[in-house]
């Protein structure tokens, strides 16, 4: 598998993709001119699987290591967890030249990045993503942060890693549900950026498990997705323009996550629901064809991802929630909407009425409201 | 008074210096293409003096304003205060294009900057420094942050303001003790960078109060100090090299602050003590002449600043404390030491023995240890 470079004005870095490469992490990091001390930040389960290999690789390469574990789960992605990372950093005398390594999914990656961004005003940061979602999305691009009790990722910083080291074999211990969640972001790249990736996914018979995807398609998925993300981030590091397209499916997705208290869905599932919703809005506005929207929805369904907003959630609550979304600009909610597979547009002309009309359950209440 | 530009690769900005300019803040900010919403962050006393003028100026220029007050004092410079800023930002629906204005001294400036750096991964930030220390030092250069229970400024980020708006007339309500504390940083610029500023200060009869300094020297002090800081920061935004010279007097200064629980000294007083100590170390190492060190110490004393480490503090505690200083690199404590007035060197060759020898109280224990 090839390497990918994320090209940025100040902090370009490499995405190294290779099976069984975790044991090479120390050697890869040796090339980067980092300080001697490393803290590996992970959660107990992931560290149980891969901690020893990771630490051994670092020690062999001459690094002094320590580790810090955060309980698994989005509900620990808050400022109090970061404070405990600071305490570990203090006790272990980590210095400005030291490195924080994230060994985990997006939750660990986002928190490790934010800790690295804010400890001593910035120490080195390396991503070792272990979930598919983190591999294809969260580990690349420098968005770091934690949740506020009232909203996801409201607290954070842009802070780029020095290296993203991807070992696809780590995915073998990932739960199928989490694998599918990552596939939601992969499908996202197909819809917003890479038509060819989209059709490759369409032509593959089953996408619901790692085994059914298979090594060859997995390689394509990872490299194409990382390349798409690197392309977009390289054009717009701080999301002042085109980078916003990566939020496709996320406006309503975040609202669904928030309204179900982050309990019912994992992130990728909510994004899947959000993409289906965004597709409907695009069709309602005449921006996208029903036929292509159906193809997107079929791909999402084939992956075993949810497509519908749970019926308990009132559309009014969705509308209220998206108003406090980070992507709000001058009070207007910004939507990313497909215009054809591989292409999207960014718009703030989506009114609450359009959303309501697009979301109206088919066959129910027709002609009545 | 002239404007100064802080020249940076990505985020250059202006330091506007003019008496009675607080009422022009809104107009100045209008030039910057910022969003409509502004939160003014301050403390009750400062906001009592200048809040109305500030808010009125912003409203007149068409901004929608709200305010957030943090109790005065270094003891509130912690993560919990930042969490409350986040809550205010959330309740008032501040957006990525919104602006956080710091109206206050270094404590308010550092916390406002850190909040701005980390809310929604970065919103606009404007500094309106009200203490002399904040005017000549803290408001320029983009260092933001809060204290960890175990150490000053351990948590933070580099985050540049869009504008530093200095109105020297705000200093009239500053306590003389705080004025003198700011003078410590001014003397610092003289020693490390600007010999001419140093001699101007030497030739002025009294430096202990705003009145005794007078308008003309005050203008020189502010412009020269901001220029010095802008020069250094422009060469090294993230403190990978020369910027470290701005920490002259701060290594031992921070230790003294920390060992007295941030209660006995204000920051500038501790820096004054630290500069005297660093001068002694430089003389002990043969880097600086006793005569120039005496001139520095005389200037500090003339300003009414403390020069000695309190006798209750054991030198061993100082040594222990500086080991956990942020400026530690590969376990070695880095010192900034003068070589002549206007010039310093950065060194990590200062051993505990040298420090002990330099700090030995004159006339006591001589010939015994
Ligand atoms: N920074 C970004 O650009 C970005 C982008 C997308 C998502 N995110 C964030 O990422 C988070 C979601 O990431 P995620 O889906 O990876 O969630 P996650 O980190 O919670 O991981 C999901 C679950 O899988 C487990 N897991 C991960 N890797 C494993 C492995 N190899 N073997 C066994 N178990 C493993 C984790 O312990 C966890 O229980 C959200 O907080 C989201 O906000 C960030
Ligand atoms: N970011 C940087 O580069 C940098 C540089 C130096 C210091 N600092 C930080 O700055 C802080 C010290 O700053 P400071 O000395 O301004 O302390 P401060 O902000 O606590 O202000 C000192 C006191 O003066 C009061 N005050 C300020 N302006 C006033 C005015 N115009 N009228 C009446 N009262 C006024 C404040 O309420 C406070 O009680 C420390 O936390 C230090 O770490 C940061
Ligand atoms: Zn996502
Ligand atoms: Zn200082």
């Amino acid at each position: 598998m090839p390497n990918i470079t994320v090209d940025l004005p100040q902090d370009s870095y490499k995405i190294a993709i290779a099976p069984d490469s975790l044991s090479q992490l120390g050697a890869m990091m040796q090339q980067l001119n980092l300080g001697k001390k490393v803290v590996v930040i992970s959660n107990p389960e992931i560290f149980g699987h891969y901690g020893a290999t990771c630490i051994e690789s670092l020690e062999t390469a001459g690094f002094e290591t320590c580790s810090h574990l955060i309980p698994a789960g989005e509900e620990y992605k808050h400022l109090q967890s970061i404070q405990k990372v600071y305490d570990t950093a203090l006790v272990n005398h980590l210095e400005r030249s030291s490195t924080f390594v994230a060994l985990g999914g997006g939750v660990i990656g986002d928190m490790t990045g934010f800790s690295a961004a804010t400890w001593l005003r910035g120490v080195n940061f390396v991503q070792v993503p272990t979930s598919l979602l983190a591999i294809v999305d969260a580990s690349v691009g420098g968005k770091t942060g934690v949740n506020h009790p009232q909203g996801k990722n409201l607290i954070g910083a842009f802070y780029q890693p020095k290296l993203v080291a991807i070992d696809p074999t780590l995915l073998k211990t990932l739960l199928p549900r989490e694998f599918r969640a990552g596939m939601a972001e992969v499908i996202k790249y197909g819809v917003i950026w890479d038509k060819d990736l989209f059709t490759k996914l369409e032509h593959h018979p089953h996408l619901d498990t790692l085994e059914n995807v298979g090594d060859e398609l997995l390689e394509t998925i990872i490299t194409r997705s990382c390349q798409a993300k690197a392309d977009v981030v390289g054009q717009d590091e701080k999301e002042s323009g085109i980078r916003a397209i990566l939020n496709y499916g996320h406006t309503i997705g975040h609202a669904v996550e928030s309204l179900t208290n982050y309990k019912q869905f994992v992130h990728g599932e909510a994004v899947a629901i959000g993409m289906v919703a965004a597709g409907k809005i695009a069709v309602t506005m005449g921006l996208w064809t029903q036929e292509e929207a159906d193809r997107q929805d079929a791909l999402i369904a084939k992956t075993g991802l949810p497509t519908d907003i749970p019926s308990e959630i009132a559309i009014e609550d969705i509308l209220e929630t998206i108003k406090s979304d980070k992507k709000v600009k001058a009070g207007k909610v910004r939507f990313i909407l497909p215009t054809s597979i591989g292409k999207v547009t960014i718009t703030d002309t989506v009114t609450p009425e359009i959303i309501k009309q697009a979301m109206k359950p088919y066959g129910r209440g027709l002609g009545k409201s």
Side-chain angles (χ1 to χ4, degrees), chain A:
Chain A
M1 293 189 184
N3 285 333
I4 292 165
T5 300
V6 184
D7 247 318
L8 296 171
Q10 292 205 309
D11 320 275
S12 296
Y13 56 95
K14 204 174 75 168
I15 307 171
I17 307 167
D20 297 311
S21 59
L22 181 59
S23 58
Q24 301 308 307
L25 179 67
M28 284 189 274
M29 283 174 53
Q30 259 180 339
Q31 315 299 312
L32 297 175
N33 192 24
L34 310 169
K36 222 178 149 62
K37 292 187 190 172
V38 175
V39 57
V40 176
I41 300 178
S42 190
N43 75 29
E45 199 201 333
I46 299 169
F47 198 78
H49 288 303
Y50 306 111
T53 308
C54 179
I55 295 282
E56 197 192 309
S57 166
L58 291 166
E59 295 271 345
T60 305
F63 291 103
E64 256 173 44
T65 66
C66 60
S67 60
H68 178 95
L69 302 186
I70 302 171
E74 184 78 33
E75 64 272 30
Y76 288 94
K77 189 178 164 183
H78 49 40
L79 221 44
Q80 293 88 299
S81 296
I82 303 295
Q83 275 180 293
K84 291 184 183 153
V85 176
Y86 294 149
D87 295 341
T88 293
L90 189 96
V91 168
N92 291 281
H93 294 283
L94 290 176
E95 305 168 356
R96 283 202 182 153
S97 63
S98 302
T99 305
F100 286 24
V101 171
L103 177 69
V107 168
I108 290 295
D110 281 12
M111 285 200 283
T112 304
F114 186 64
S115 307
T118 54
W119 183 245
L120 309 182
R121 301 199 192 90
V123 298
N124 297 310
F125 170 38
V126 166
Q127 287 269 23
V128 184
T130 64
S131 70
L132 181 58
L133 186 134
I135 287 175
V136 298
D137 185 3
S139 68
V140 176
K143 278 195 184 178
T144 73
V146 294
N147 301 324
H148 183 278
Q150 252 92 62
K152 253 182 83 69
N153 297 324
L154 293 178
I155 301 160
F158 285 98
Y159 198 69
Q160 300 294 342
K162 299 279 179 206
L163 169 72
V164 181
I166 295 176
D167 180 349
T169 64
L170 307 189
L171 292 177
K172 63 182 187 297
T173 51
L174 188 70
L175 290 178
R177 183 179 179 190
E178 296 293 346
F179 177 79
R180 290 191 287 272
M183 286 300 292
E185 306 278 0
V186 173
I187 294 169
K188 179 188 80 177
Y189 295 118
V191 176
I192 66 168
W193 195 256
D194 188 341
K195 189 187 167 128
D196 194 48
L197 172 62
F198 188 96
T199 53
K200 281 208 168 72
L201 295 171
E202 267 186 324
H203 292 142
H204 202 79
H206 301 287
L207 296 171
D208 55 335
T209 64
L210 181 69
E211 295 69 37
N212 284 337
V213 165
D215 288 351
E216 200 189 316
L217 183 60
L218 182 66
E219 166 168 346
T220 304
I221 282 172
I222 294 177
T223 51
R224 290 292 191 112
S225 298
C226 287
Q227 188 66 60
K229 181 117 192 212
D231 287 348
V232 173
V233 168
Q235 285 180 42
D236 176 22
E237 183 180 356
K238 303 258 170 94
E239 195 165 324
S240 42
I242 189 180
R243 183 168 178 162
I245 69 170
L246 297 172
N247 293 320
Y248 175 56
H250 283 60
T251 304
I252 287 178
H254 282 162
V256 167
E257 280 184 287
S258 158
L259 289 167
T260 53
N261 297 311
Y262 303 99
K263 289 202 166 66
Q264 192 169 344
F265 299 107
V266 296
H267 177 71
E269 290 169 345
V271 170
I273 292 170
M275 291 193 289
V276 173
K280 285 198 211 305
I281 293 168
V283 172
T284 301
M285 292 175 78
L287 292 167
W288 206 20
T289 63
Q290 184 68 54
E291 184 231 325
E292 288 204 341
D294 288 345
R295 283 172 63 196
Q296 166 192 271
D297 298 356
L299 197 51
I300 291 169
K302 183 168 78 172
T303 308
L305 286 161
T307 52
D308 295 326
I309 299 173
S311 55
E312 315 85 72
I313 299 183
I315 189 71
E316 281 71 24
D317 292 336
I318 299 266
L319 295 173
E320 190 53 37
T321 309
I322 58 182
K323 265 203 263 171
S324 62
D325 193 280
K326 275 197 306 310
K327 285 169 285 304
V328 168
K329 219 176 177 175
K332 291 192 170 176
V333 179
R334 202 167 42 163
F335 267 90
I336 319 301
L337 299 177
T339 55
S340 70
I341 287 167
K343 284 213 174 64
V344 283
T345 185
I346 305 177
T347 177
D348 61 5
T349 60
V350 179
T351 61
E353 289 64 42
I354 295 172
I355 299 175
K356 278 191 201 165
Q357 197 191 329
M359 295 297 110
K360 209 179 290 174
Y362 301 119
R364 210 196 326 152
L366 272 182
K368 281 195 185 161
S369 61

